[in-house]
Amino acid sequence: MTASVEQKIEGLRAEIRRHEHLYYVLDRPEISDAEYDSLINDLRLLEAAHPDRITPDSPTQRVGGRPAEGFRKVEHSRSMLSLDNAYSAEELADWDRRVRELAGLLPVDYTAELKLDGLSLALQYQPDQTGGAVLTTGVTRGDGQVGEDVTTNVRTIRSVPLSISADKLKELGLPPALEVRGECIMPRVAFERLNEERERDGLAPAVNPRNAAAGTLRTLEPSVVANRRLVFYAYFLLVNGEYWSGGQQETLRLLSELGFRVNPYRECMDSVAGMTEFIAKAESDRASLGYEIDGVVFKVNDQTTQQRLGYTGRAPRWAIAYKFTAQAAITVLEGVEITVGRTGKLTPTALLRPVFVGGVTVSRATLHNADFIERLGLLIGDSVKVERGGDVIPKVVEVVEDEAHPRGTSPIIFPTICPTCDNPVVREEGEVDWRCVNADCPARLRETLLHFGSRGVMNIEGLGEAAVDALVQKGLVSSVADLYILSQEQLLSLEKQVTRKDKTTGQPATTLQPFFGPVSAEKLLKQIESSKSAGLARILMGLGIRHVGERTAEELAVEFGDIHELEKAAPERLEQVADVGPEISRSIVDFFSLPANHALVERLEAAGVAMKAEKRERTSQLVGLTFVLTGSLPALTRDEAKAMIEGAGGSVTGSVSKKTSYVVVGEEAGSKLTKARDLGIPILDEAGLIELIQQKAAES
Ligand code: IVH
């Protein structure tokens, strides 16, 4: 290998690392995502041509490779400490006094940090040949003594440096044998996105970002982890296997210099008054932070005092956590509203006398389902305790009963008919939810239209709540198929109420105004028109078949290619599709067995909505070919290989069958390879796949 290639590889890596640091740690990107992707791509191509130069700390190694079997148990170098807690200003004052006694009764300087609600991780770095340090192992806390090796997944977290240069270590006077501990969190936006996806896939939502982050780190597919956008904030350091007690400000400075993300929300203070001020500020900022916190942590800044205080078996004596108590308030349940969702599910919502909890006024809270109401024994008029925990959504947690809070009077009667369409509601055996099964129910229609038009489904911009309400109220749309016969005149005939201050009287006056102008009407019609070619997978999602989310819809589209094939499919045939088990197959069969649904498909098709897999698949190079990927490929991640195949018109499925055209194998390929051999299906490695694509491209 020539020096210039080596230099080029190292140069690219250095540049990419600089941009990753700017983006993920300093939050100050200098280049666009596309430019970043292109740098990564250049590096990947160079590395593919020189696989012997791939190092574990190369930025390309963030995604890829699969952890062997589950997760190996790893003993911590030193036990993973926790924190002692204080719940009041008095307890903080006691702690401050103890600390000052050891510091010679002088005021002590503290750093206040947020107590991040995630899971703690230990990242071990070891020397490499150049005198720098490389990330060797990432371990969860476990029981504090033994955790799980989640290295492969930790590598995908962009705010975790994969290596630290020898120069940097020298500059800071640190050896390469380091361990950095901190908190791994899932930001709120990532959590919300995850739950949207889970809902689309018919899965139960994750309860809170902490559980979601923990679950993500224990996922066996690193590319999934990479997509979840976890963030690591560093706060503690071990040097040569020993706790480092150099003072908290200095610890944070070193961690930041080493390339770690350090939470900027922090302050220094030297009194209990300063601490309580910080607590109040953090509590009021809590709801607007991009992530969950459950308290604040105070840590001693002075090195000598830290060292004098030292550690107990479970926690540093130089730190204390002040945990927020769940914010709660007592109010009155004034009523219950029942709403009907897209699937017909009836959801009860508590209508509360407005009450101020944790910085916001709460007047509604979810009651989940009829069982929940029964368990609480709720009556309308009851005094109830409402809590707003870290997860922002208010909850009714209990009925309060004492002299000041007499019991309510009227029972909550869960309806036996749908509150919107008056048809009987049903509750299937083993299910907690009551459902309206009338497909024409207006409430279901509203939710169905919103789902149909949403991003990720048919993607009809402009079909928001207000537009849907206007269309439904005017009776212009009674099924998603009606969207395709809307005319411009009809849209222009829709009206909305607008309340404005009257210029002369100063009083609010309500007038009716057109909902759409000619431009916005035209725009919506264009959006509807272009949704016709969204493709089979999108339409399958749009139909709202229970349990058929994005992934399943895509698998079904690839496997069947045409909705009429799917309509005819027997359960056994459906269950041959990856991801489809008895529950999903039953739901698909049930859906198509209803004449109304069959008619809907016909109407959509007559309106010109594509009910076949996208054209692209039939006109380009790998058309009609089905691939299965197994094992880890040397240069491409699974997602990249999939994108390459699909980009060339081929399809990728999860399981090997007689219909599979090629199986692409990497390292540690398992039973799929054996099955491919048994069935005599051609086997390719990564290079073979790239060659095949190039060859087909040349032919076409
Ligand atoms: S310091 C010696 N700082 O809270 C270091 N912990 O309840 C001990 N935590 O196990 C931890 N934010 O997982 C520290 N800013 C912060 C923190 C923090 C969250 C977690 C950590 C710890 C738990 C103790």
Side-chain angles (χ1 to χ4, degrees), residues 363-384:
S363 56
R364 301 166 70 86
T366 178
L367 291 171
H368 306 288
N369 50 47
D371 276 5
F372 183 80
I373 294 176
E374 210 168 294
R375 240 180 294 141
L376 289 182
L378 262 187
L379 298 177
I380 291 176
D382 269 348
S383 292
V384 289

Side-chain angles (χ1 to χ4, degrees), residues 129-376:
Q129 305 98 314
T130 68
V134 286
L135 173 70
T136 53
T137 322
V139 195
T140 60
R141 180 172 195 281
D143 62 4
Q145 307 303 322
V146 177
E148 278 180 324
D149 180 347
V150 287
T151 315
T152 322
N153 287 340
V154 164
R155 278 185 197 289
T156 70
I157 304 174
R158 307 301 176 102
S159 39
V160 170
L162 299 180
S163 62
I164 302 162
S165 74
D167 288 348
K168 190 42 98 179
L169 291 172
K170 209 163 135 205
E171 178 195 323
L172 299 174
L174 288 171
L178 296 175
E179 186 171 326
V180 172
R181 294 183 180 174
E183 206 78 356
C184 173
I185 57 153
M186 181 178 283
R188 270 190 197 135
V189 276
F191 175 70
E192 279 153 19
R193 200 187 63 175
L194 168 69
N195 271 351
E196 274 166 25
E197 277 173 26
R198 290 185 63 88
E199 192 178 330
R200 228 182 275 151
D201 288 346
L203 299 169
V207 187
N208 57 39
R210 178 172 16 88
N211 289 2
T216 299
L217 272 185
R218 301 194 76 259
T219 303
L220 281 163
E221 195 65 63
S223 60
V224 170
V225 184
N227 268 324
R228 299 265 174 92
R229 299 283 174 247
L230 297 177
V231 176
F232 178 79
Y233 282 110
Y235 49 64
F236 190 64
L237 184 61
L238 280 84
V239 175
N240 287 330
E242 289 303 321
Y243 300 142
W244 197 76
S245 314
Q248 189 59 10
Q249 278 297 309
E250 181 61 4
T251 300
L252 296 178
R253 185 187 73 84
L254 290 177
L255 290 170
S256 167
E257 284 281 334
L258 288 170
F260 290 88
R261 193 160 172 158
V262 169
N263 196 332
Y265 195 113
R266 58 176 193 269
E267 264 172 39
C268 290
M269 70 257 328
D270 60 6
S271 67
V272 176
M275 293 184 195
T276 50
E277 239 170 72
F278 184 82
I279 292 171
K281 182 165 175 292
E283 275 193 302
S284 83
D285 290 341
R286 186 177 184 184
S288 54
L289 296 168
Y291 46 81
E292 304 289 341
I293 59 170
D294 59 351
V296 298
V297 187
F298 300 100
K299 299 174 183 174
V300 170
N301 281 337
D302 174 62
Q303 174 177 351
T304 322
T305 314
Q306 253 202 11
Q307 285 168 0
R308 266 196 213 158
L309 284 158
Y311 303 83
T312 66
R314 75 174 276 281
R317 287 196 197 86
W318 46 258
I320 197 148
Y322 176 90
K323 279 217 191 154
F324 297 146
T325 41
Q327 294 141 310
I330 293 175
T331 186
V332 175
L333 178 72
E334 295 186 325
V336 172
E337 181 185 274
I338 311 267
T339 49
V340 185
R342 171 168 63 87
T343 59
K345 176 181 159 182
L346 269 55
T347 304
T349 301
L351 304 177
L352 303 165
R353 183 172 298 162
V355 62
F356 197 66
V357 195
V360 296
T361 302
V362 170
S363 56
R364 301 166 70 86
T366 178
L367 291 171
H368 306 288
N369 50 47
D371 276 5
F372 183 80
I373 294 176
E374 210 168 294
R375 240 180 294 141
L376 289 182

